[in-house]
Amino acid sequence: MSMLVSTSPHIRNKVTTATIMRDVVIALMPALVASVIIFGFRALLVTAVSVAAAVLTEYLFQKGCKQPITIQDWSAVVTGVLLAYNLPVTIPLWQAALGSIIAILVVKQFFGGIGKNFANPAIVGRIVLFLSFSKTMTAWQFPDAVSTATPLAVMASGDMSTLPTHLQMFLGLKGGCLGEVCVLALLIGFIYLLVRRVITWHTPIAFMGTVFLLSWLLGGSFDYALSQLLSGGLVLGAVFMATDYATTPSTNSGRLVFGLGCGLLTVMIRQWGSYAEGVSFAILFMNILTPYISRWTRTKPFGGVRA
Amino acid sequence: MALRRLHGVRVPHHKITADLAAVKMPPPATVTIPMSMHIGAPAKPLVKVGDYVTVGQRIAEAAAFVSSPVHASVSGTVKKIDEILISSGRKVPAIVIESDGLMTRCPDLKPPVINNAEDFLQALTDSGIVGLGGAGFPTSVKLTVKNLDQIEAVIVNGAECEPYITSDTRTMTDNPKLVIAGARLLQKHIGAKRIIFAIEDNKPLCINRMRHFCKDEPGMEVMALPAMYPQGGEKVLIYHTIGKTVPEGKLPLDVGAIVINVTTLASIARYIKYGIPLVMKCVTVDGSAVRYPKNVIAPIGTPMKDVFAFCDGFVSEPKKVLYGGPMMGIAVPDLEQPIMKNTNAILAFDEADATLPETTACIKCGRCIAHCPLNLMPVEIESAYERGDIEALVQLKVNICMECGCCSFICPAHRPLAQTNKLAKAQVGAYLKAKKEKEAQEK
């Protein structure tokens, strides 16, 4: 009889990296359904191409480097879906695929794979595409195939007459990237993630709260602040991108600071920058600050005496 | 009461033996009684090979203040006094007694005469009772308090937060009067003003029973605490009952608390009443490999294999066998390991339960931080340990880790965080000691 000897504990919780990532994918599904309803079948196609490119890139890289294959942990799927959600529905498919390849290969695998990357892969993928293909990346199309400006662009232009109503913005009847428009669907996903304890409320609430309050302060009206809250990639970014584990602080106090910083930078870019949208740049910048935030927001050990 | 609750994890309870009254097993053919079943110096044998001993006879004496005597658990002949390898990897002397099957009681056993607190403490020393919750700290030492006014509350630990184990549950359901008698002794001899029975709320029967018996006892109360592992951890229990934080490097007594396991308390009362030292132990026998899980009262020193055999053996080959619960229990290399004073359960698991999931990369989710009862940062400790940064480990306070295992349990990447903490603790301990010595030399 041979028996296993190992140190305690001898049992493990059922939650694994794969179940967490799968939960994120599930939480992203309402937004996909909404996107297909709003923009049509092509939204699904773009998402599928982006996911396939992400998963395939991870697989081929790991195969080529003789590393253990990790595609079964669903994290590449999450990256693929998130990148697609940050693209206009009219994006050429090869560009969507290229974004995924950059996200997985350069941002994730070159830095050591899951958990080791310092920046959110999907965000960097989006920014690279945005800077490289600014034309196709800003070809906003309204549900009825008419090209249109996004609410943020409208607000930046100062002519509020063509701004959609708050209800339209909440439901997603506006120009924008395919996964970001329907705030309702994203909030359903947010609630799911909270219930499943995949994320905590700290970053999303601090992020969205800061944007709302600062916009109110600077824009002078509740209406304006609400429009800012419901526009662009704010809800998508705050709920799904600023809560990425590896690239954000691990403590709740750190997450509050992270969310505050993201909100502050987003408003600064939206108000004074040359881009109408600032969510992805704000998150990327805060990703870089994360090691410092983590150091400032360490927990206080119970009964610990300062060494 | 505490202002907030410390973190922890929700573990599966598996308390399937909770309703099974403890059954006494017949004496085994031989018992192997280690001289080190407590914290402190190993006991010194008083018998030699060939001696005939009886149940309750003292066969080894306490070798120091922090030590404990050992008594024969069966009647029979001393066969061997030899070193055995125990599960911690250390070698300790042990007395092997071949049982004559008669369980003849030592004629000298009689209830101790107690006139004052000194007599009480002496009786505790003689009883061989040690902390039965698992730590095995000699009870007489714990209750030797210079300044009795210091004691604000005695917390009787009936939390039993480990999965599977129900031996304390059985103490509270089968012997509540002994528990109360033990509490009265503490009131009388160490002047305990407030005695709190702390029980997890997944044991409503124990709570009801203890409340019933506490009703007319001044200074005694029952506190039902949420079933949240590690509720029974000493620092956790003190914080959740009287709201006091035991600082790093200090003892519970420094914040006016004494924590004593409920079965320990009952054993004290039993000794004072009947004069029977600690020679039997109720252990929960459970786990997926065990055919009929039970609570078994076994003579100390009984080889595990005999206790499992008393439960009709195994349904499948045991692949991992533990002393204690699955969160903090110690895996044993073979089934010859004896039941010890501080053994509260022996669990045997089949292959499926014994095999742990594979470790994957850390995803920095922060669950280990969010669930650490002591607010430590296992993820940071792991990375500091891996890069050999001892200064960082000191800053991260890995030394206060109580090794409860919440971090390893909750980690979605199945990283052995508690194990790393243990390794880091040892490093930090050696480092701080060397630093202190160096400083002393420089002066």
Side-chain angles (χ1 to χ4, degrees), chain A residues 28-88:
Chain A
L28 283 163
M29 286 304 106
L32 186 61
V33 173
S35 190
V36 171
I37 294 170
I38 295 165
F39 295 112
F41 176 70
R42 202 169 195 279
L44 190 61
L45 188 65
V46 172
T47 308
V49 167
S50 175
V51 169
V55 174
L56 200 65
T57 305
E58 183 156 303
Y59 177 80
L60 291 176
F61 177 83
Q62 290 172 334
K63 198 83 184 160
C65 296
K66 297 191 168 58
Q67 289 177 0
I69 307 293
T70 58
I71 54 167
Q72 70 281 4
D73 70 15
W74 288 79
S75 63
V77 178
V78 171
T79 300
V81 176
L82 282 175
L83 178 74
Y85 282 16
N86 279 284
L87 305 174

Side-chain angles (χ1 to χ4, degrees), chain A residues 215-232:
Chain A
S215 300
W216 195 348
L217 205 71
L218 295 169
S221 80
F222 177 83
D223 266 11
Y224 175 78
L226 197 56
S227 299
Q228 283 288 341
L229 187 63
L230 297 172
S231 303

Side-chain angles (χ1 to χ4, degrees), chain B residues 86 112 144 255 272 302:
Chain B
I86 57 168
T144 302
V255 296
I272 303 294
T302 305

Side-chain angles (χ1 to χ4, degrees), chain A:
Chain A
M1 191 188 307
S2 72
M3 299 199 305
L4 288 164
V5 179
S6 62
T7 57
S8 59
H10 306 281
I11 50 173
R12 296 288 187 270
N13 198 18
K14 285 196 189 72
V15 175
T16 67
T17 303
T19 65
I20 291 169
M21 295 300 162
R22 203 180 55 207
D23 270 341
V24 177
V25 173
I26 291 170
L28 283 163
M29 286 304 106
L32 186 61
V33 173
S35 190
V36 171
I37 294 170
I38 295 165
F39 295 112
F41 176 70
R42 202 169 195 279
L44 190 61
L45 188 65
V46 172
T47 308
V49 167
S50 175
V51 169
V55 174
L56 200 65
T57 305
E58 183 156 303
Y59 177 80
L60 291 176
F61 177 83
Q62 290 172 334
K63 198 83 184 160
C65 296
K66 297 191 168 58
Q67 289 177 0
I69 307 293
T70 58
I71 54 167
Q72 70 281 4
D73 70 15
W74 288 79
S75 63
V77 178
V78 171
T79 300
V81 176
L82 282 175
L83 178 74
Y85 282 16
N86 279 284
L87 305 174
V89 72
T90 50
I91 190 96
L93 295 179
W94 68 271
Q95 289 181 1
L98 183 68
S100 273
I101 294 169
I102 290 164
I104 294 292
L105 194 67
V106 180
V107 189
K108 188 180 177 190
Q109 295 304 332
F110 281 5
F111 284 89
I114 186 167
K116 304 284 199 309
N117 50 304
F118 73 90
N120 187 312
I123 291 222
V124 177
R126 171 196 148 90
I127 289 175
V128 169
L129 292 181
F130 185 63
L131 298 179
S132 312
F133 313 107
S134 47
K135 200 162 171 185
T136 49
M137 280 294 285
T138 51
W140 309 120
Q141 188 197 48
F142 208 51
D144 44 7
V146 179
S147 64
T148 179
T150 65
L152 282 175
V154 174
M155 282 188 274
S157 74
D159 172 20
M160 304 289 181
S161 60
T162 55
L163 201 64
T165 65
H166 289 147
L167 183 65
Q168 282 172 327
M169 285 202 250
F170 184 70
L171 295 175
L173 305 171
K174 63 189 178 206
C177 294
L178 67 89
E180 72 184 19
V181 289
C182 184
V183 175
L184 173 66
L186 293 169
L187 289 183
I188 293 171
F190 183 31
I191 291 165
Y192 179 79
L193 291 181
L194 288 179
V195 169
R196 298 281 293 165
R197 293 170 188 250
V198 171
I199 61 169
T200 64
W201 57 268
H202 301 80
T203 299
I205 297 298
F207 192 165
M208 295 188 283
T210 306
V211 170
F212 182 77
L213 290 177
L214 273 183
S215 300
W216 195 348
L217 205 71
L218 295 169
S221 80
F222 177 83
D223 266 11
Y224 175 78
L226 197 56
S227 299
Q228 283 288 341
L229 187 63
L230 297 172
S231 303
L234 179 61
V235 179
L236 177 66
V239 173
F240 291 97
M241 322 262 273
T243 55
D244 172 48
Y245 293 146
T247 59
T248 66
S250 315
T251 61
N252 289 339
S253 51
R255 287 167 182 158
L256 277 178
V257 174
F258 187 90
L260 275 168
C262 285
L264 193 66
L265 288 167
T266 299
V267 173
M268 283 167 67
I269 297 169
R270 282 185 178 183
Q271 294 291 328
W272 299 301
S274 54
Y275 294 117
E277 175 57 307
V279 170
S280 34
F281 289 106
I283 296 174
L284 180 62
F285 190 81
M286 292 307 289
N287 283 164
I288 295 165
L289 279 185
T290 291
Y292 298 95
I293 300 171
S294 295
R295 199 172 305 168
W296 302 326
T297 54
R298 277 191 178 162
T299 54
K300 191 190 169 304
F302 183 76
V305 178
R306 208 164 254 284

Side-chain angles (χ1 to χ4, degrees), chain B residues 7-333:
Chain B
H7 307 296
V9 292
R10 296 214 178 270
V11 290
H13 294 150
H14 297 299
K15 302 273 190 186
I16 58 169
T17 52
D19 298 330
L20 302 175
V23 279
K24 216 174 198 169
M25 69 175 279
T30 58
V31 291
T32 302
I33 306 178
M35 295 296 98
S36 199
M37 301 187 280
H38 51 261
I39 288 176
K44 227 167 69 198
L46 294 169
V47 291
K48 53 187 191 304
V49 174
D51 283 0
Y52 180 78
V53 295
T54 47
V55 176
Q57 182 183 334
R58 189 186 299 190
I59 53 171
E61 62 181 353
F65 176 61
V66 184
S67 183
S68 182
V70 174
H71 304 81
S73 57
V74 293
S75 58
T77 317
V78 176
K79 272 281 151 202
K80 219 168 41 173
I81 300 177
D82 204 1
E83 285 200 324
I84 61 160
L85 188 68
I86 57 168
S87 56
S88 68
R90 277 185 311 141
K91 277 192 166 173
V92 298
I95 297 174
V96 180
I97 304 167
E98 193 176 68
S99 168
D100 60 7
L102 299 173
M103 294 300 271
T104 312
R105 196 191 278 199
C106 178
D108 304 336
L109 292 186
K110 54 179 185 293
V113 182
I114 293 171
N115 295 319
N116 51 38
E118 261 167 54
D119 290 348
F120 177 66
L121 290 173
Q122 186 56 45
L124 287 184
T125 307
D126 295 340
S127 70
I129 294 172
V130 300
L132 302 180
F137 189 72
T139 305
S140 57
V141 180
K142 181 182 266 183
L143 296 182
T144 302
V145 180
K146 280 205 187 77
N147 175 13
L148 290 177
D149 294 332
Q150 233 182 320
I151 307 169
E152 272 180 48
V154 172
I155 301 152
V156 181
N157 191 347
E160 204 162 51
C161 55
E162 276 266 14
Y164 296 96
I165 310 179
T166 61
S167 50
D168 288 343
T169 301
R170 288 324 300 180
T171 297
M172 289 182 274
T173 39
D174 296 343
N175 298 309
K177 285 183 180 165
L178 269 185
V179 176
I180 297 289
R184 284 201 200 120
L185 286 168
L186 296 189
Q187 286 179 328
K188 192 167 165 194
H189 298 298
I190 65 163
K193 294 180 279 286
R194 184 179 178 207
I195 295 183
I196 303 164
F197 296 95
I199 306 168
E200 274 195 351
D201 60 11
N202 62 348
K203 290 177 265 297
L205 189 64
C206 296
I207 293 169
N208 285 344
R209 198 152 288 193
M210 292 315 297
R211 282 219 167 113
H212 173 77
F213 283 100
C214 272
K215 219 169 37 208
D216 303 320
E217 300 286 337
M220 292 189 204
E221 64 195 284
V222 175
M223 260 190 209
L225 302 169
M228 170 76 101
Y229 180 87
Q231 189 65 268
E234 197 167 60
K235 285 182 177 183
V236 178
L237 202 62
I238 292 170
Y239 188 73
H240 286 170
T241 48
I242 60 171
K244 295 270 174 74
T245 305
V246 182
E248 177 186 353
K250 298 279 182 187
L251 294 171
L253 198 55
D254 294 316
V255 296
I258 287 181
V259 180
I260 186 164
N261 171 270
V262 67
T263 303
T264 310
L265 194 60
S267 304
I268 292 173
R270 185 180 286 121
Y271 180 73
I272 303 294
K273 198 168 172 190
Y274 304 108
I276 304 171
L278 188 61
V279 291
M280 298 283 209
K281 188 69 214 302
C282 171
V283 292
T284 300
V285 187
D286 202 347
S288 51
V290 175
R291 189 176 305 271
Y292 291 117
K294 272 183 195 148
N295 279 304
V296 178
I297 298 172
I300 283 163
T302 305
M304 277 184 181
K305 63 172 197 287
D306 292 341
V307 186
F308 284 121
F310 181 66
C311 297
D312 286 15
F314 302 110
V315 281
S316 56
E317 194 188 339
K319 278 290 172 191
K320 192 185 249 180
V321 176
L322 306 177
Y323 271 129
M327 290 302 287
M328 288 189 78
I330 299 166
V332 298

Side-chain angles (χ1 to χ4, degrees), chain A residues 251 297-299, chain B residues 368-369 375-382 396:
Chain A
T251 61
T297 54
R298 277 191 178 162
T299 54
Chain B
C368 53
I369 302 170
N375 278 341
L376 297 175
M377 304 182 82
V379 54
E380 300 276 328
I381 292 168
E382 189 190 41
L396 289 164

